[in-house]
Amino acid sequence: MVQDWRKLEVVDRCVADSYETPTMAETHSLQDLQQPAVSSKVFVQRDYSSGTICKFQTKFPSELESRVDKQQFEETIQTLNNLYAEAEKLGGKSYLEGCLACLTAYTIFLCMETHYEKVLKKIARYIKDQNEKIYAPRGLLLTDPIERGLRVVEITIFEDRSIGSGR
Amino acid sequence: MMKNCEYQQIDPRALSVSPSSAQNHTETKAQRPRRKWEVFPGKNRFFCDGRIILARQSGVLPLTLGLIVVTCGLFFAFDCPFLVEHLTVFIPVIGGVLFVFVVISLLRTSFTDPGILPRATPDEAADIEKQIDTSGSSTYRPPPRTKEILINQQVVKLKYCFTCKMFRPPRTSHCSLCDNCVERFDHHCPWVGNCVGKRNYRFFYSFIISLSFLTSFIFGCVITHITLRSQAGKSLVQAIQESPASVVELVICFFSVWSILGLSGFHTYLVASNLTTNEDIKGSWSSKRGAEESGNPYSYNNIITNCCATLCGPMPPSLIDRRGFLPPDEAIPAASASEIELPPFAAKNDAHMCTQSTKDVLERMVHSSEFPGLCPPGTPKTSPLGLEATSVSGPSTETSPSTGCSRQLAHGPVVTPCPPFSRSSKRDSLHSINPAFRLASPSPSLSRTNLFLSESADVGFIPLT
């Protein structure tokens, strides 16, 4: 992945500048990378087939195949999709909120939390919960999509210390 | 020489305390934590510590406000006393309510984030690049990248935004004035000095509707006033002479009424058919389907539902988190915004791509004790992106790193950001870089870190080049 490129290029360049043998330089970089390192990130993109509502693709990324159960992952994404659908739902409650806001010249938003924001908090709690229970033990980390502008669900894959070859 | 490339001596933990731009970093740490709006890459201005967002050019917002205030002021001062006397006290009351509503709507439209999409993080951008590269052939900067998707069984093309490094979601457009991608982009309104998009369209709509009521109301009242005056045995000219302000109001209102009413009518049509001005002007749906409503895949095919969805739907949150704090290690110089949301990429500035990537790596290093810290890790990132980069920046990414490296070695301790992009580092986008970090203060302690990534790509090269 990109991360690997960087390290390799780094090694190459320093080799050129330092007149050292590649092996030595490589060794140096390897020695330094003994900590559990971020190996890669997987991005689950948005699914626009139903329009502009916030929905993520439930397709299981191949990089996670060895890491987590497909069923589990799809369930997580599906729950997230459902939560976002709840936030964006057009219904009596949201219309009421909208009309009330309009009547008060939108000043009501200064004091009140919108329905969407409440659901976002719920989503944050859910993701934290999922991370703690399911993903962290497997060396994965889900990032809340709101931190990425609701564009992607970013899954960070942490490499094991033991798998230190060339990374 | 190897000693200068002393990456093995750099202790990651030490780095988190004293990174390459050591002095600056400690300075920053000692300073108050910075908020994300301070390093926002778009052309926006922020007030009240990030609470208020405006486009860089405020356009004619002061004029709009001025006209409204002046006209209403004259109305209350000169016409109302007469009308209260001869008609009813409710006239100033109604006028007052409308005036308040108009001003609040206007300010809300101007000061609200229209639905700006934060730019893609470097990892995201790289991931997208990879997907494009693997799926197609791109030897040099390819023609505008598009992706076709199906929305409600209709083919929609998504365009790739080179500035924000991502495929734009449907109905999103990039505003060149604000240099941001805006969701459900309607238009950039100079009268309100901001883009009109998903989040502030309802405010904009209520502004123009209430303004049309206000102008019509004042227009009517002024006509009534002058008519009543001239009826009381005086001639029209005499009536006007007695109340000259009314003429001013009359002129302003006369010209405003037509345009505002026209605009309101147009936007009412747009709301009812769930279209944006952008789509309407481009004829995105109408040309293909003729008069068929189903041409627009976003429409609910029901006027009431369309209106409710657009105006009374749930209020989406702001995606740019202006007031969030940058994590302390991220608060290091600038060009890069928060690790999370706002990579400050100027589309054609490699320095920033490098900066962000180095910052990213730094962040990761700090968090996971990984030590990347060597020669510009940013470089590989630009290889896929270098396709577009090479067209704008002179030195090839291949040669510059080594040039940078050797330069540093030759010049000894220099605060080195990211060697490769010396040329482009001198260019634009410097506005987003914290000036504090321009002091590329060489110091012995930094010699070890001269190959390490720091945040500000530009700093290191000012003395070197």
Side-chain angles (χ1 to χ4, degrees):
Chain A
M1 306 283 298
V2 175
Q3 187 63 15
D4 302 333
W5 285 3
R6 276 194 227 127
K7 286 180 195 140
L8 289 175
E9 289 241 5
V10 159
V11 166
D12 288 345
R13 214 163 302 112
C14 282
V15 163
D17 286 327
S18 63
Y19 311 113
E20 279 214 338
T21 63
T23 332
M24 262 183 78
E26 223 169 291
T27 312
H28 281 304
S29 72
L30 278 178
Q31 279 169 356
D32 291 320
L33 302 169
Q34 292 303 312
Q35 334 296 331
V38 171
S39 106
S40 60
K41 295 193 183 188
V42 181
F43 296 97
V44 177
Q45 301 284 343
R46 282 270 293 269
D47 175 14
Y48 295 114
S49 58
S50 319
T52 50
I53 59 165
C54 185
K55 196 172 158 193
F56 292 97
Q57 291 175 358
T58 47
K59 189 170 85 82
F60 188 61
S62 52
E63 292 93 337
L64 297 178
E65 255 159 34
S66 54
R67 295 280 194 151
V68 74
D69 186 30
K70 180 176 173 185
Q71 201 72 4
Q72 191 79 64
F73 178 79
E74 281 177 7
E75 198 189 301
T76 308
I77 301 287
Q78 195 56 48
T79 314
L80 279 179
N81 286 342
N82 292 340
L83 283 168
Y84 281 115
E86 187 196 319
E88 295 180 358
K89 196 172 67 149
L90 298 170
K93 192 164 183 255
S94 71
Y95 291 153
L96 196 65
E97 193 185 54
C99 290
L100 186 69
C102 180
L103 289 174
T104 60
Y106 301 106
T107 49
I108 197 159
F109 287 145
L110 298 169
C111 1
M112 208 177 78
E113 203 181 50
T114 66
H115 173 66
Y116 209 117
E117 282 167 0
K118 289 187 188 130
V119 179
L120 283 179
K121 286 193 176 161
K122 209 162 135 187
I123 290 172
R125 278 197 303 270
Y126 174 74
I127 288 184
K128 186 164 166 236
D129 186 56
Q130 289 281 294
N131 272 334
E132 279 168 11
K133 290 194 185 142
I134 300 166
Y135 294 97
R138 291 173 171 80
L140 299 171
L141 181 71
L142 287 181
T143 306
D144 196 333
I146 193 73
E147 291 174 18
R148 296 285 178 271
L150 288 182
R151 281 188 313 263
V152 288
V153 176
E154 185 181 300
I155 303 159
T156 317
I157 302 175
F158 290 97
E159 266 297 321
D160 262 341
R161 203 180 283 221
S162 49
I163 314 170
S165 57
R167 291 189 158 248
Chain B
M1 280 293 232
M2 181 53 195
K3 285 183 191 121
N4 289 340
C5 216
E6 285 176 346
Y7 47 92
Q8 80 274 23
Q9 288 186 17
I10 305 175
D11 178 16
R13 282 179 298 282
L15 267 166
S16 64
V17 176
S18 55
S20 56
S21 40
Q23 297 167 346
N24 299 326
H25 180 62
T26 41
E27 271 171 37
T28 314
K29 268 196 155 179
Q31 291 167 6
R32 54 165 183 81
R34 301 177 67 214
R35 292 193 192 258
K36 293 176 187 171
W37 65 264
E38 301 179 47
V39 294
F40 186 69
K43 291 182 192 166
N44 289 93
R45 287 186 293 168
F46 298 88
F47 301 100
C48 289
D49 200 20
R51 289 183 182 87
I52 291 176
I53 176 172
L54 261 181
R56 170 146 307 176
Q57 303 144 357
S58 58
V60 291
L61 172 64
L63 176 67
T64 312
L65 259 176
L67 273 175
I68 294 171
V69 170
V70 163
T71 313
C72 290
L74 290 175
F75 174 72
F76 289 124
F78 295 97
D79 295 283
C80 280
F82 185 88
L83 289 168
V84 166
E85 211 181 294
H86 288 82
L87 281 179
T88 167
V89 75
F90 284 116
I91 292 196
V93 171
I94 296 173
V97 167
L98 279 174
F99 171 70
V100 165
F101 204 84
V102 165
V103 171
I104 292 183
S105 300
L106 172 63
L107 294 179
R108 264 332 291 244
T109 311
S110 303
F111 297 155
T112 304
D113 164 20
I116 295 173
L117 271 179
R119 298 187 181 181
T121 56
D123 294 310
E124 269 181 75
D127 189 63
I128 294 176
E129 285 286 340
K130 251 187 4 205
Q131 285 171 16
I132 295 172
D133 283 342
T134 50
S135 58
S137 63
S138 40
T139 47
Y140 56 94
R141 179 174 177 154
R145 301 161 175 173
T146 52
K147 189 162 85 168
E148 289 194 354
I149 55 168
L150 268 181
I151 297 181
N152 292 332
Q153 280 81 53
Q154 191 161 340
V155 175
V156 173
K157 265 193 185 157
L158 298 186
K159 279 192 181 165
Y160 183 79
C161 181
F162 285 103
T163 313
C164 305
K165 303 271 185 298
M166 60 178 179
F167 278 100
R168 279 183 218 135
R171 306 193 102 173
T172 303
S173 193
H174 191 93
C175 176
S176 46
L177 288 164
C178 304
D179 205 25
N180 291 313
C181 268
V182 177
E183 286 193 297
R184 203 182 184 279
F185 181 76
D186 196 85
H187 65 286
H188 182 100
C189 186
W191 294 96
V192 303
N194 201 3
C195 288
V196 177
K198 183 161 92 167
R199 293 186 79 243
N200 65 352
Y201 186 73
R202 63 192 73 191
F203 305 139
F204 177 74
Y205 188 74
S206 62
F207 166 62
I208 55 174
I209 293 289
S210 51
L211 188 62
S212 16
F213 278 120
L214 182 67
T215 45
S216 326
F217 180 74
I218 292 182
F219 191 70
C221 287
V222 169
I223 299 264
T224 313
H225 176 202
I226 296 190
T227 315
L228 286 176
R229 265 196 205 266
S230 51
Q231 267 177 357
K234 302 168 192 163
S235 73
L236 189 64
V237 177
Q238 232 175 335
I240 290 174
Q241 275 172 350
E242 275 176 20
S243 172
S246 305
V247 180
V248 175
E249 293 168 51
L250 214 57
V251 168
I252 295 176
C253 286
F254 181 77
F255 288 112
S256 318
V257 151
W258 303 118
S259 42
I260 301 286
L261 277 178
L263 197 62
S264 304
F266 175 63
H267 277 279
T268 307
Y269 157 72
L270 288 181
V271 165
S273 38
N274 205 326
L275 278 174
T276 64
T277 308
N278 204 23
E279 285 165 357
D280 188 71
I281 288 177
K282 283 186 191 165
S284 311
W285 315 117
S286 55
S287 53
K288 291 178 197 167
R289 298 271 186 263
E292 250 186 70
E293 266 187 87
S294 62
N296 178 6
Y298 312 109
S299 168
Y300 296 92
N301 292 323
N302 178 328
I303 291 181
I304 310 272
T305 318
N306 280 339
C307 292
C308 290
T310 314
L311 302 174
C312 304
M315 183 71 184
S318 173
L319 298 173
I320 57 176
D321 189 23
R322 313 184 281 282
R323 286 177 47 80
F325 285 103
L326 291 171
D329 46 78
E330 294 299 333
I332 298 180
S336 27
S338 81
E339 63 194 294
I340 303 168
E341 293 179 1
L342 310 170
F345 284 9
K348 295 168 182 166
N349 191 333
D350 302 329
H352 285 267
M353 293 196 293
C354 178
T355 301
Q356 180 55 31
S357 63
T358 60
K359 195 187 62 65
D360 220 12
V361 176
L362 171 63
E363 172 241 332
R364 249 180 272 123
M365 183 279 309
V366 170
H367 290 301
S368 60
S369 305
E370 166 200 276
F371 186 63
L374 314 167
C375 290
T379 314
K381 269 204 191 299
T382 63
S383 321
L385 299 167
L387 302 176
E388 58 173 302
T390 41
S391 60
V392 283
S393 59
S396 73
T397 54
E398 274 53 57
T399 55
S400 31
S402 42
T403 323
C405 264
S406 52
R407 271 186 186 173
Q408 289 146 29
L409 298 171
H411 286 74
V414 176
V415 174
T416 312
C418 213
F421 310 105
S422 50
R423 277 186 2 119
S424 45
S425 68
K426 276 185 283 183
R427 268 192 247 151
D428 56 329
S429 321
L430 296 180
H431 66 268
S432 56
I433 296 176
N434 189 337
F437 294 95
R438 289 173 184 273
L439 40 109
S441 46
S443 71
S445 63
L446 298 173
S447 60
R448 285 182 289 150
T449 58
N450 61 358
L451 293 175
F452 186 73
L453 330 158
S454 101
E455 308 308 328
S456 48
D458 306 84
V459 178
F461 287 98
I462 293 169
L464 288 179
T465 51

